[in-house]
Amino acid sequence: MALRGNEKNQLFLGTFIHSKNLGELQYLHDTAICVNKSGKIVAIEQKHDRTKAEETLYPRLGWAVDDVVVTIGGDGQFFFPGFIDTHVHAPQYPNVGIFGKSTLLDWLNTYTFPMEASLSSLPKARRVYTQCIRRTLAYGTTTAAYYATIHVPSTNLLADLCLSMGQRAFIGRVCMDHLGPDYYLDESPDQALAATQASIDHIRGIDSGFALVSPILTPRFAPACTTETMRRLGALQRATGLPVQTHISENVSEIELVHQLFPEDKSYAGVYDRYGLLTDKTILAHAVHITEEEADLIAKRGSKVAHCPCSNSALTSGEARVRWLLDKGIGVGLGTDMSGGYSPSLLEAARQASMVSNHLAMPGGKWDVIPQPERENAKLSIEEVLYLATRGGAEVVGLGTKVGGFEVGMEWDAQLISLGMVDETPNQIDYKDDGNVDIFGWESWDERVAKWVFNGDDRNVKKVWVRGRVIHERK
């Protein structure tokens, strides 16, 4: 299946904001960004309006005026890189907000496995997956690392839908042949690997270069896989170079279970390492309770972490020490982790990442054993959580040179954010709903972004592009 390109080149004008590094946002005002028909950024020039772009940029690029689509950001608007969700369970989308009073292992059996098993029905899978993709796009998520189910046809359907709807995605057929319910298990290592290969082959058939949609090897988590399945998945990774996604140290009971099932291994991370699944292309979700030794091993192998603050709080799993992970040299991105997480919004994950990091600095808790200056340093700034949501996430999924920022040579995965401007004399009767963010005009740009991070939602996302193609527009 050929990927759809753009019929014309594109010029974007206005204010552009992106992460320059972990602690710094760059604000590009009165700027022109040129994107070619393949969706790649080919020029970035400040102090350029449409006339100047036509006079200087078009000739340099060999563009004709009638072959360019122009998008201009208005008052209260800015362009921002698309969000990258590094951990999300697409089949669990109908359960968002439903986690009862359970902890992780009970929640899996009560809510998760029955829902996932039901998506063997392709009509139901289409309904769920279409809405999941639509909703995440509406919140500005341009790339998602999806867990599907154990079913090949519905996993392939998820890949088809991401491709046709334009969302960049990693699609993982879930491998689990141990400790699941009888009605929802791979029959054997042979069957697990054959089904995984079938989905890989399907995705290669619809996107041969994995330009938009890529397979990702997905052992659910160590307790759900036999040692033979993990060994063979590790061998498959070495043979194909494909990325890997799984869970690690989300919950204390889960860790105890791993120790019982794998007594010969010193740690949870050690289990994955022994079977060749701890690689520089591995995404480890949660990492709430990993030890110093595990963090050092993860850093040595180059594996990355998907931080999921919403689900870690919702399932009372704990607080991941993101600053500590970063200081260890471990790449970190953000994950919504639906449906342990209650929201499809990665902006919500960013604000919760900030809030959860504050808990690490609070006195009187289990982190009192850590010196106060180190606890205070654990707090994440607005600039830092937005980095995790974009450039950090891009590094986690292996797309750090392709998306996550605005640079020449990168692809135009972006969102147009619009913040509500309060009129000088607000109407007392008619109410215009532009979202929860109210801008009065005296705020600095730093303050406007802060308001967006802590109050913004899908109403602020006016357009979304992937590879230069509009894939969502709020009417």
Side-chain angles (χ1 to χ4, degrees):
M1 184 184 298
L3 296 181
R4 289 169 57 186
N6 305 298
E7 295 181 357
K8 295 187 176 184
N9 299 305
Q10 296 182 78
L11 171 68
F12 297 90
L13 297 166
T15 292
F16 302 80
I17 304 173
H18 70 149
S19 293
K20 194 172 182 180
N21 51 52
L22 177 62
E24 181 183 1
L25 288 173
Q26 184 177 34
Y27 297 82
L28 302 171
H29 301 292
D30 301 317
T31 294
I33 291 185
C34 297
V35 176
N36 67 16
K37 294 177 183 178
S38 66
K40 186 170 292 186
I41 298 172
V42 292
I44 301 175
E45 295 292 343
Q46 293 183 264
K47 297 181 180 179
H48 270 58
D49 58 13
R50 183 171 185 168
T51 300
K52 191 171 183 180
E54 291 176 354
E55 293 175 347
T56 62
L57 292 178
Y58 288 15
R60 192 175 90 198
L61 296 169
W63 288 6
V65 173
D66 60 0
D67 196 32
V68 180
V69 174
V70 180
T71 301
I72 302 174
D75 291 340
Q77 295 186 330
F78 60 93
F79 297 94
F80 196 78
F83 290 136
I84 298 168
D85 192 339
T86 62
H87 184 69
V88 53
H89 294 267
Q92 295 178 26
Y93 177 70
N95 285 347
V96 163
I98 305 173
F99 33 79
K101 300 177 181 179
S102 306
T103 53
L104 174 64
L105 298 179
D106 288 337
W107 169 80
L108 286 171
N109 288 306
T110 303
Y111 297 105
T112 301
F113 292 149
M115 177 58 71
E116 291 192 12
S118 72
L119 265 64
S120 61
S121 163
L122 286 178
K124 184 172 182 178
R126 181 178 294 276
R127 185 181 181 197
V128 169
Y129 289 155
T130 300
Q131 188 62 17
C132 176
I133 297 167
R134 285 175 57 185
R135 185 67 69 183
T136 54
L137 287 175
Y139 277 101
T141 296
T142 51
T143 300
Y146 283 122
Y147 285 58
T149 67
I150 68 173
H151 314 106
V152 173
S154 57
T155 297
N156 293 348
L157 174 62
L158 177 58
D160 293 342
L161 290 169
C162 286
L163 188 64
S164 65
M165 297 172 72
Q167 188 174 55
R168 199 183 295 272
F170 295 83
I171 307 294
R173 192 211 75 94
V174 173
C175 292
M176 48 182 293
D177 62 342
H178 186 241
L179 284 188
D182 292 340
Y183 62 84
Y184 190 58
L185 274 178
D186 289 325
E187 296 174 0
S188 66
D190 284 344
Q191 193 266 339
L193 269 291
T196 295
Q197 187 63 57
S199 282
I200 293 171
D201 292 343
H202 175 82
I203 294 171
R204 183 175 284 112
I206 62 172
D207 187 356
S208 59
F210 304 151
L212 197 73
V213 179
S214 169
I216 183 167
L217 304 178
T218 307
R220 185 173 207 114
F221 67 145
C225 295
T226 60
T227 56
E228 179 63 12
T229 290
M230 285 195 287
R231 184 190 68 77
R232 291 171 66 173
L233 285 172
L236 183 60
Q237 195 287 323
R238 290 190 296 275
T240 61
L242 288 174
V244 177
Q245 62 181 356
T246 191
H247 300 76
I248 191 170
S249 298
E250 179 178 0
N251 179 279
V252 173
S253 297
E254 168 205 2
I255 297 169
E256 292 173 353
L257 179 59
V258 170
H259 290 324
Q260 293 170 16
L261 294 173
F262 305 94
E264 66 277 18
D265 291 295
K266 293 181 179 180
S267 68
Y268 202 154
V271 174
Y272 291 133
D273 193 47
R274 179 152 68 99
Y275 295 106
L277 293 169
L278 205 63
T279 76
D280 61 358
K281 294 184 177 181
T282 297
I283 305 170
L284 299 167
H286 303 291
V288 174
H289 303 287
I290 61 172
T291 64
E292 289 276 352
E293 293 75 15
E294 286 180 297
D296 290 339
L297 176 60
I298 291 167
K300 183 178 180 180
R301 297 291 184 258
S303 299
K304 315 298 191 298
V305 167
H307 175 44
C308 307
C310 295
S311 63
N312 291 343
S313 294
L315 297 175
T316 60
S317 297
E319 305 109 338
R321 298 161 60 193
V322 173
R323 177 80 63 202
W324 174 70
L325 293 170
L326 293 169
D327 288 347
K328 286 280 188 179
I330 298 170
V332 179
L334 296 178
T336 57
D337 193 23
M338 295 189 291
S339 65
Y342 55 81
S343 172
S345 166
L346 204 70
L347 189 64
E348 177 69 20
R351 68 173 67 110
Q352 289 301 321
S354 175
M355 293 292 99
V356 168
S357 73
N358 289 347
H359 283 255
L360 298 173
M362 293 179 183
K366 69 175 183 178
W367 301 114
D368 268 354
V369 296
I370 298 174
Q372 178 59 29
E374 185 178 341
R375 294 210 314 273
E376 189 67 22
N377 188 51
K379 295 193 290 188
L380 299 173
S381 67
I382 287 170
E383 292 80 4
E384 288 169 329
V385 297
L386 288 176
Y387 176 91
L388 299 182
T390 53
R391 284 193 189 269
E395 293 290 343
V396 168
V397 300
L399 298 176
T401 62
K402 185 175 287 188
V403 298
F406 299 136
E407 295 178 12
V408 172
M410 299 184 88
E411 296 187 1
W412 181 254
D413 285 20
Q415 48 185 320
L416 177 62
I417 302 300
S418 183
L419 306 181
M421 304 295 292
V422 178
D423 294 336
E424 288 291 334
T425 54
N427 192 306
Q428 297 182 27
I429 300 175
D430 295 330
Y431 178 66
K432 183 180 179 182
D433 187 8
D434 289 324
N436 292 328
V437 185
D438 288 326
I439 301 299
F440 290 87
W442 55 69
E443 299 92 344
S444 68
W445 271 99
D446 283 346
E447 292 167 340
R448 292 184 183 201
V449 170
K451 281 189 164 186
W452 171 56
V453 169
F454 286 107
N455 294 286
D457 56 31
D458 58 323
R459 289 170 292 181
N460 303 114
V461 182
K462 298 305 179 185
K463 280 189 179 182
V464 178
W465 295 262
V466 170
R467 301 178 85 230
R469 174 187 164 201
V470 175
I471 57 172
H472 169 76
E473 184 170 5
R474 188 175 185 86
K475 303 297 185 181

